[in-house]
Amino acid sequence: MTTTHVAAPPKPRVAAPSGMSIGDLARRPETGALIGTISVFVFFAIFGGGQFLSAGGAASWLNVAAELGIIAIPVGLLMIAGELDLSVGSVLASSSMTVAIVSGYWGAPVIVGIVAALLLGLVVGFLNGLLVTRTGVPSFIVTLATLFGLSGLTLGLSRVITGTTSVALDPGPQAKQLLGTLVAGKFEVAIFWWIAAIVVIGWLLHFSPWGNWVFAVGGDKESARTTGIPVQGVKIALFTASAFGAAVVGVIQSILYNSAQVANGQSFVFNSIIAVVIGGVLLTGGYGSVVGVVLGTLTFSIVSQGIYYTGWNSDWAALILGVLILAAVLMNNTFRRMALSYAPRMKKKG
Amino acid sequence: MVTPLLELRDVCKSFGATDVLTDISLRVHPGEVLCLLGDNGAGKSTLIKILSGVHQPTTGRIEANGEAVVFRSPRDASTHGIATVHQFGGTFPLMTIGRSFFVGAEPTKWRGPFRRFDRKFAGGIAVQEMQSLGITRVTDGDRLVGGLSGGERQALAIARAVYFGAKLLILDEPTAALGVKEAAHVLRIIMQARQKGIAVVLVTHHVTHAMTVGDHFAVLIRGALAADFRKGERSREEITDLMAGGEAMAELEAEIESYTKEGQL
């Protein structure tokens, strides 16, 4: 469809392009997430003291945030499109084992191992997407099946091939530099990959015309289909992206720690969903933002790392997270309602 | 005689052994409102699904501008300028007005990899088109669709269809879920679309609404065309009776009356 831009500027009574007032801010999907991030930061800055605020402290939660964030952003996009992906944990484990087995155990060049691991991620994601769109089985079930199936496959094959469940890897200097080094001795290079993902995916979702499709698919699948959007294609692409994100983190972990274990990554299944939901994405789809997911990821990692700086028993971190999830979702609901009921400056009639 | 925009000739539709529609012949002319009346289960939905390409007729044919056509999908129908607006507008509650107006046909600015959604243009056009249908309350294309009233959502969906060149609008029970004022507004929008030379097929079981805007009426009873008449040829009571299946309504009224009399005794 071609849309000509010659049309005269909209004539009557169009609201002036408003700046960022407080009201506008309150109507954005990430407002609740921003409040959450600032609150937990201030909380741990007070109780965690100078150690938490030092570069080392920042590195500890940024490193966690980076790995989680690379997975959470595509998972968030998928959730905006109305689907869940629980399989990321097993995809992470299988990709990290793949690079370790191909390049460590079999001794192939590390680039071959990396490509194999990433391809594996793409294939699993594509299959997830295909299964969900073709069978109509809810993605919760399909990806739960993938989570277990792939985890068993990884464990089984690892034992058959290597005889163990943990494989060492010598990635060599180049791969190390690109994917597994610590910048300034503290900050994982993954942080920069995370930033790259934020920029690219943020652009795709919020500025490219394609992003509109993602919101439409999550908002109302049937209406989206009647407008001619390839609903299935969009979903398959998003499932593929989410598994790819998990595969990238799997590779990063293998190269960073010079080894891979079959049990890697299972914590990412729920952590990614927590980060996305705290970030203001609606679980049922149609609403959310990349900035929100980033803030949700930061909130999660500040809580999970900040607890170590308070001197309290770290057992309590999960309790804080639980309370936080509930509070964040309630707050996000409130802000979403405000956005929905918003009508610009007008007199109320009768 | 002018060639009708769309014509159905002896259309029948059956699902398995069940005949849902039998020998439907209808004509839709530009700038005319055809009201499709009928009780629940009379086959109205099936008929509009045939018009909009969701179902294909079992026998019989469809002609657009005098030429036989086959609508294999809603997309086929929309390339012939047929747009369907459902009861709730079929819009996206959590998207902005501008974004939802242009879903699937996003206007862009800049080029190459930096091609981006033109938010200002989208919002401006959406608001302008809605205002041209008389919705003056909406002035900001960045508002969420979910914040609009039911009538405004209908208007948004109709404005969208008109903007993208619809020649035939199929409105499926647009006033069913609306209050009196809102419904009146939607009827006004229908008249505005009609004035632009657009043909409207209005599906409703609200006889008053139909009589307000309709030029041409078709009443379906159990899948058959029970009556096909122009404005002014039938009275309100006759239409109601027809919809309820002939004499049934009068009998029912008499029966109810006898109950109330018994009650008084």
Side-chain angles (χ1 to χ4, degrees):
Chain A
M1 194 112 222
T2 47
T3 350
T4 45
H5 275 219
V6 279
K11 33 171 188 62
R13 293 228 324 155
V14 172
S18 43
M20 265 313 239
S21 70
I22 293 196
D24 288 335
L25 189 68
R27 282 187 298 275
R28 300 193 57 79
E30 55 270 1
T31 311
L34 181 64
I35 294 173
T37 310
I38 293 173
S39 320
V40 296
F41 186 84
V42 169
F43 180 86
F44 285 107
I46 293 167
F47 292 97
Q51 272 288 317
F52 174 76
L53 292 171
S54 70
S60 82
W61 51 265
L62 276 175
N63 289 344
V64 170
E67 288 188 9
L68 178 58
I70 292 173
I71 296 179
I73 290 177
V75 165
L77 240 65
L78 192 57
M79 201 184 284
I80 291 174
E83 301 289 352
L84 290 170
D85 188 356
L86 304 178
S87 70
V88 289
S90 293
V91 174
L92 193 155
S94 66
S95 93
S96 86
M97 284 308 284
T98 303
V99 63
I101 290 174
V102 170
S103 300
Y105 188 77
W106 286 337
V110 73
I111 181 71
V112 177
I114 292 173
V115 169
L118 296 182
L119 271 180
L120 178 100
L122 291 175
V123 168
V124 173
F126 183 79
L127 286 178
N128 274 338
L130 209 61
L131 276 171
V132 169
T133 52
R134 289 296 135 89
T135 62
V137 175
S139 52
F140 183 92
I141 305 294
V142 168
T143 58
L144 190 64
T146 320
L147 176 71
F148 276 80
L150 189 60
S151 143
L153 193 67
T154 309
L155 181 60
L157 281 182
S158 300
R159 270 216 220 276
V160 167
I161 295 170
T162 68
T164 67
T165 57
S166 166
V167 177
L169 169 73
D170 174 18
Q174 261 180 321
K176 196 86 182 161
Q177 195 92 50
L178 263 175
L179 294 165
T181 191
L182 294 175
V183 179
K186 295 185 190 72
F187 297 96
E188 279 183 32
V189 73
I191 294 171
F192 298 97
W193 289 109
W194 180 38
I195 293 170
I198 295 169
V199 172
V200 171
I201 300 185
W203 171 273
L204 278 177
L205 184 66
H206 297 295
F207 295 100
S208 85
W210 184 79
N212 214 30
W213 296 9
V214 176
F215 285 104
V217 166
D220 183 349
K221 203 170 64 180
E222 287 316 310
S223 296
R225 189 169 288 140
T226 53
T227 59
I229 292 176
V231 173
Q232 304 204 331
V234 169
K235 285 194 174 174
I236 291 174
L238 290 174
F239 274 108
T240 309
S242 126
F244 183 75
V248 168
V249 176
V251 169
I252 286 175
Q253 286 193 345
S254 287
I255 288 172
L256 178 64
Y257 304 119
N258 299 320
S259 76
Q261 284 83 35
V262 286
N264 273 1
Q266 294 301 333
S267 64
F268 284 86
V269 175
F270 285 117
N271 295 357
S272 62
I273 294 176
I274 293 171
V276 168
V277 169
I278 292 180
V281 177
L282 189 60
L283 193 68
T284 46
Y287 196 66
S289 74
V290 168
V291 175
V293 174
V294 170
L295 290 169
T297 307
L298 285 173
T299 307
F300 177 89
S301 47
I302 288 172
V303 173
S304 64
Q305 296 302 302
I307 193 87
Y308 296 109
Y309 293 90
T310 58
W312 306 336
N313 192 324
S314 62
D315 299 352
W316 299 99
L319 174 66
I320 299 179
L321 274 173
V323 173
L324 196 71
I325 295 166
L326 205 58
V329 170
L330 289 174
M331 196 156 61
N332 291 334
N333 281 350
T334 310
F335 283 117
R336 196 171 55 248
R337 257 200 308 278
M338 281 170 68
L340 273 174
S341 60
Y342 155 72
R345 302 150 294 277
M346 56 158 298
K347 280 172 272 172
K348 256 209 161 140
K349 283 186 215 161
Chain B
M1 184 81 198
V2 203
T3 353
L5 189 64
L6 198 74
E7 181 167 9
L8 297 184
R9 289 192 181 213
D10 305 319
V11 165
C12 298
K13 176 74 188 174
S14 36
F15 295 105
T18 326
D19 294 330
V20 183
L21 293 173
T22 40
D23 293 329
I24 306 285
S25 296
L26 272 179
R27 295 173 161 196
V28 189
H29 292 279
E32 212 180 77
V33 178
L34 166 68
C35 293
L36 207 54
L37 300 160
D39 206 0
N40 291 341
K44 289 177 301 188
S45 326
T46 311
L47 184 54
I48 59 168
K49 277 179 181 159
I50 285 176
L51 290 175
S52 59
V54 177
H55 294 321
Q56 287 71 48
T58 312
T59 60
R61 50 196 213 131
I62 307 176
E63 289 180 3
N65 297 312
E67 284 172 41
V69 286
V70 178
F71 299 149
R72 281 178 220 289
S73 68
R75 236 182 172 172
D76 270 0
S78 71
T79 56
H80 280 88
I82 298 171
T84 313
V85 174
H86 295 289
Q87 194 176 335
F88 299 105
T91 41
F92 309 95
L94 289 165
M95 283 173 91
T96 66
I97 291 169
R99 276 184 176 270
S100 87
F101 193 88
F102 283 95
V103 162
E106 290 78 6
T108 54
K109 58 182 182 186
W110 303 3
R111 299 201 169 272
F114 296 107
R115 211 163 64 92
R116 56 172 291 184
F117 181 75
D118 193 340
R119 186 181 124 254
K120 264 202 187 121
F121 175 82
I125 291 292
V127 168
Q128 181 190 325
E129 293 297 311
M130 283 183 79
Q131 294 197 347
S132 84
L133 288 180
I135 303 286
T136 49
R137 210 174 72 97
V138 175
T139 57
D140 181 357
D142 288 335
R143 270 178 67 185
L144 296 184
V145 172
L148 300 178
S149 70
E152 286 167 345
R153 282 201 218 185
Q154 288 282 342
L156 175 62
I158 294 171
R160 180 178 199 280
V162 172
Y163 180 79
F164 288 108
K167 290 185 226 125
L168 172 62
L169 268 178
I170 300 172
L171 305 178
D172 186 4
E173 301 276 9
T175 57
L178 301 182
V180 180
K181 262 190 202 161
E182 287 266 292
H185 209 119
V186 169
L187 295 179
R188 201 179 310 145
I189 290 168
I190 293 173
M191 295 311 279
Q192 251 142 11
R194 173 179 174 268
Q195 235 138 39
K196 290 183 179 182
I198 294 165
V200 178
V201 173
L202 173 64
V203 179
T204 184
H205 51 243
H206 227 287
V207 182
T208 326
H209 291 166
M211 293 195 68
T212 318
V213 295
D215 298 297
H216 177 189
F217 303 83
V219 181
L220 280 177
I221 295 176
R222 270 168 267 119
L225 208 52
D228 185 356
F229 51 93
R230 311 281 314 171
K231 191 180 182 119
E233 290 176 7
R234 298 281 167 98
S235 75
R236 200 195 127 98
E237 284 69 31
E238 281 176 300
I239 300 174
T240 317
D241 285 352
L242 265 170
M243 279 174 67
E247 304 307 309
M249 203 66 189
E251 282 168 27
L252 188 65
E253 273 168 19
E255 200 180 322
I256 291 171
E257 200 149 318
S258 71
Y259 286 143
T260 45
K261 269 180 191 153
E262 272 170 34
Q264 283 165 357
L265 283 174

